[in-house]
Amino acid sequence: MASITAVARLVHINPSSKLNPSLVSATKPLFTFFSLKSSYSPIVSSSAASLTSSRAMSYDKQLIAAKKAASLASLLCQNVQKGLLQSDVQSKSDKSPVTVADYGSQVLVSFVLQQELPSQAFSLVAEEDSGDLRKEDSQETLQRITKLVNDTIASDGSYKVSPLSESDVLTIIDCGTSEGGSNGQHWVLDPIDGTKGFLRGDQYAIALGLLDEGKVVLGVLACPNLPLESINNKNQNALTKSSSGCLFYAQLSCGTYMESLSGSPPVKVHVSDTENPEEASFFESYEAAHSSHSLSGSIANKLGVKAPPVRIDSQAKYGALSRGDGAIYLRFPNKGYREKIWDHAAGYIVVAEAGGVASDASGKPLDFSKGRYLDLDTGIIVTNRKLMPAVLKAVQDSLKEQALPSL
C-alpha cells in the first residue's frame, strides 16, 4: 500500500497556479441549441475499438487517462445523484449551487490523471478551488466528499493507495488553479457542467479537455443521463428513458467517437450535413434564466425554423450536436459575463472532430490560449460548415435588432 505521504507527493500544485476567488461570476450565461428533425443513424466503425492500437497517435496515452478519469468521476456523480441530501448542496460565493459531487468529481479526475501519467508535468485549469470547503461550517461537506472519493477509488480497484485524508482532498482540489495559456500542456476541467440539471436529476456532463500550446487537442464528455438514442424533437421521450449514459471523446485529426459509459462498442459520429435551415429545430437551456428565448426565437424565425425547442442542460448539447441530433448551438452571456474555457474546451473538439465548426458572433475562431477565459465578441456559434454563413447572418441581425452588444 502506498503511503499518504506518497500520494500527497504525487499531488503537487503547479508553481504558477494561484487561487482567484474573483474568477467565479454571479452572472448566468444565455444559450440556445438547435437540432435536426431527422433521425440519428451513427456509423459504426470496426476500427474504433482498437483506436489506440491501430495507429500511433500523439495523445493516445492522455486519451486513455482522460476516459478513465471522466468515467470514474461519472460513477461518483451517479451515486450522489441517486441519493441527494440537502446537506450535499454547498453555496458558493456567487450563490450558484455546488454539490459534493462537483468537488468529488474534480478530485477524482485530478487524482486519476496524475496516477495514469506520472512522468508528465501536470497542469489543470478547473472550475473549483477549496476556499469554501476550508471554512469551519463546511467540515461535514468535506468529510462527505472525502468518503465518496475514497469509496469510488476503492470500488474501482485500480489504485493501491491508502485512503485520502481531508487535507489530501483539499490539496488535490487546489491542483486545478493553473492559469493555462499558450505554453505547454494544460488539462481543462468542468467537474459538473450543468449543476442545476444535476440537482434536478436531468442532464449534466463531466467535461475534460487538453490544451497543447493553446490548442485543444483532446476532449472527453461524460454525460451520465444522456441516452444513446437521438434527442431531437421527434424523440423527446428518449430523455426520460433509463440509460447507462454516453461517453464522447475526440483527439486531434482522429475523429469523434461515442460509447456508453457501461462500455458498449465505440461508434464514430458526425455532425449533421444539412444545408437547409428550415430542416433544423432548436434546442435551448432547460433553465429559462440561462436562455434568451426572445433572441433564439428571432434567430429561428430568420432561419425559417418552425419546430418547437428541446431543452437540456450542459455540454451534453455539444455531444448531441456531434452525433447529428442538432444542427446549431448558440450561446450568449449576460452583460458582464466572461466565458470560461472549461465551459467549452471539451465540447469544442468533440464537435470539431465530428466535422463541425465554432466561432464567436463576429465569425472569429474560439481562442483557448489566453488563460482561464475566452476572449469573445458577444457570443458563441457552433454548427456545420454549410449552415455557418446563414446562421452567422441571422445571429448578427437579431443581435442588432434586440440592441444587445453588437458587432
Side-chain angles (χ1 to χ4, degrees):
M1 298 284 283
S3 67
I4 287 295
T5 302
V7 175
R9 187 180 300 119
L10 172 67
V11 181
H12 62 280
I13 299 177
N14 189 306
S16 65
S17 301
K18 58 183 179 180
L19 294 178
N20 187 353
S22 67
L23 293 175
V24 181
S25 170
T27 314
K28 299 298 180 184
L30 310 174
F31 51 86
T32 302
F33 175 70
F34 287 73
S35 79
L36 281 179
K37 294 188 286 185
S38 58
S39 61
Y40 161 54
S41 300
I43 302 172
V44 179
S45 171
S46 60
S47 63
S50 57
L51 180 63
T52 59
S53 61
S54 61
R55 293 178 291 176
M57 298 299 175
S58 299
Y59 304 100
D60 282 352
K61 290 183 179 179
Q62 291 96 325
L63 178 60
I64 292 170
K67 289 175 64 180
K68 170 77 171 180
S71 297
L72 200 59
S74 295
L75 179 61
L76 180 148
C77 293
Q78 287 172 309
N79 288 336
V80 173
Q81 194 178 55
K82 289 177 183 177
L84 269 175
L85 302 174
Q86 185 61 37
S87 60
D88 286 339
V89 180
Q90 182 78 9
S91 179
K92 279 196 303 191
S93 57
D94 69 347
K95 306 303 182 184
S96 65
V98 177
T99 65
V100 294
D102 217 347
Y103 291 108
S105 174
Q106 183 162 318
V107 171
L108 281 174
V109 170
S110 182
F111 174 83
V112 170
L113 290 177
Q114 293 184 75
Q115 288 280 351
E116 296 291 331
L117 304 166
S119 64
Q120 297 186 9
F122 184 72
S123 174
L124 176 65
V125 184
E127 182 174 16
E128 307 301 342
D129 63 57
S130 69
D132 289 339
L133 289 177
R134 293 181 184 273
K135 297 176 181 178
E136 186 174 348
D137 59 358
S138 297
Q139 289 308 299
E140 182 179 347
T141 301
L142 177 58
Q143 291 170 6
R144 180 156 170 76
I145 293 167
T146 303
K147 183 179 187 303
L148 283 167
V149 168
N150 284 323
D151 288 349
T152 306
I153 293 173
S155 68
D156 176 69
S158 299
Y159 307 108
K160 305 303 180 183
V161 297
S162 299
L164 301 178
S165 68
E166 293 171 14
S167 178
D168 295 329
V169 166
L170 292 172
T171 300
I172 296 173
I173 290 172
D174 286 337
C175 285
T177 58
S178 170
E179 294 297 314
S182 59
N183 296 320
Q185 292 188 358
H186 307 279
W187 292 98
V188 180
L189 172 68
D190 193 335
I192 293 184
D193 183 41
T195 308
K196 289 187 177 180
F198 175 83
L199 292 172
R200 288 195 313 271
D202 291 336
Q203 298 303 317
Y204 65 98
I206 294 90
L208 178 61
L210 178 65
L211 302 183
D212 194 348
E213 304 300 321
K215 305 293 184 183
V216 187
V217 296
L218 178 155
V220 174
L221 284 177
C223 306
N225 289 340
L226 188 69
L228 291 173
E229 300 86 358
S230 169
I231 58 169
N232 62 33
N233 61 69
K234 285 189 175 182
N235 195 28
Q236 294 200 43
N237 288 336
L239 285 171
T240 62
K241 294 179 181 177
S242 60
S243 170
S244 59
C246 291
L247 184 71
F248 298 91
Y249 55 93
Q251 63 171 308
L252 193 64
S253 302
C254 296
T256 296
Y257 294 83
M258 177 187 74
E259 61 187 59
S260 73
L261 279 169
S262 61
S264 66
V267 173
K268 190 171 185 179
V269 297
H270 198 278
V271 297
S272 162
D273 61 359
T274 185
E275 52 188 309
N276 183 359
E278 294 184 5
E279 295 179 359
S281 62
F282 67 93
F283 282 62
E284 60 189 2
S285 172
Y286 184 94
E287 294 285 338
H290 293 177
S291 179
S292 174
H293 292 173
S294 61
L295 178 57
S296 61
S298 173
I299 295 168
N301 287 336
K302 291 181 185 302
L303 291 171
V305 174
K306 298 179 176 62
V310 175
R311 295 171 179 169
I312 60 173
D313 299 279
S314 83
Q315 286 183 67
K317 292 185 288 295
Y318 274 108
L321 191 147
S322 76
R323 69 186 186 184
D325 291 5
I328 307 164
Y329 167 37
L330 306 175
R331 179 175 172 113
F332 297 95
N334 287 317
K335 184 177 181 181
Y337 182 86
R338 297 182 68 190
E339 292 282 5
K340 288 94 171 177
I341 60 174
W342 54 74
D343 286 326
H344 301 282
Y348 167 82
I349 192 167
V350 163
V351 167
E353 285 297 313
V357 60
S359 76
D360 67 13
S362 68
K364 296 178 181 177
L366 303 187
D367 185 355
F368 292 88
S369 69
K370 304 298 186 182
R372 296 172 73 91
Y373 296 99
L374 289 172
D375 184 13
L376 295 174
D377 187 339
T378 305
I380 293 175
I381 304 170
V382 187
T383 184
N384 65 38
R385 296 182 183 277
K386 296 176 182 178
L387 280 176
M388 179 58 90
V391 176
L392 185 60
K393 184 178 187 304
V395 167
Q396 293 174 346
D397 289 347
S398 296
L399 287 172
K400 291 176 182 177
E401 289 175 2
Q402 295 205 1
L404 292 175
S406 58
L407 311 175

